[in-house]
Amino acid sequence: MTELPHPARDEIRIEAVLHALADPVRLRIVKALAELPDGEAIACGSLDLSISKSTTTHHIRTLREAGVVRVRPEGTSRMTALRRDDLDALYPGMIDGIVKAPR
């Protein structure tokens, strides 16, 4: 599996991040990733989203292209981690506010 393209920190735009986070499924993904220890990744298939694999892939790709998550191949899986360091550096407190926001 080849590496996937990710925006560099200075290429991450707030408009793309907010658009990615506006979807309830993607918001659930970010909240689940935020509960992991810093830098830890999870296989996309292990997220309990009750949606098809192709729909999960679409949502993860949208988050990756916006710079919200980093995805790396590992064997036959794709491991996804929240880019908390980058997002906190660019938009301090945003992820914490999103994670703690009432549903």
Side-chain angles (χ1 to χ4, degrees):
M1 227 182 264
T2 60
E3 290 294 317
L4 299 168
H6 296 82
R9 180 184 284 186
D10 64 346
E11 296 173 329
I12 297 173
R13 299 291 173 251
I14 191 66
E15 298 88 354
V17 172
L18 293 176
H19 171 75
L21 296 174
D23 183 271
V25 172
R26 292 192 288 265
L27 193 54
R28 284 180 32 215
I29 293 169
V30 168
K31 286 183 176 187
L33 295 174
E35 292 177 1
L36 299 173
D38 283 343
E40 190 170 316
I42 189 170
C44 298
S46 65
L47 292 166
D48 184 22
L49 301 172
S50 302
I51 57 175
S52 70
K53 183 177 177 179
S54 63
T55 302
T56 300
T57 300
H58 163 75
H59 287 300
I60 297 288
R61 184 183 71 235
T62 300
L63 290 167
R64 177 182 52 82
E65 290 174 349
V68 177
V69 300
R70 182 163 304 281
V71 181
R72 64 177 164 74
E74 188 173 291
T76 59
S77 297
R78 291 191 176 195
M79 304 301 288
T80 304
L82 184 62
R83 291 180 67 175
R84 184 180 283 276
D85 289 347
D86 290 333
L87 295 170
D88 284 347
L90 293 167
Y91 315 112
M94 181 183 69
I95 293 298
D96 288 334
I98 288 168
V99 170
K100 293 175 185 174
R103 204 177 148 126

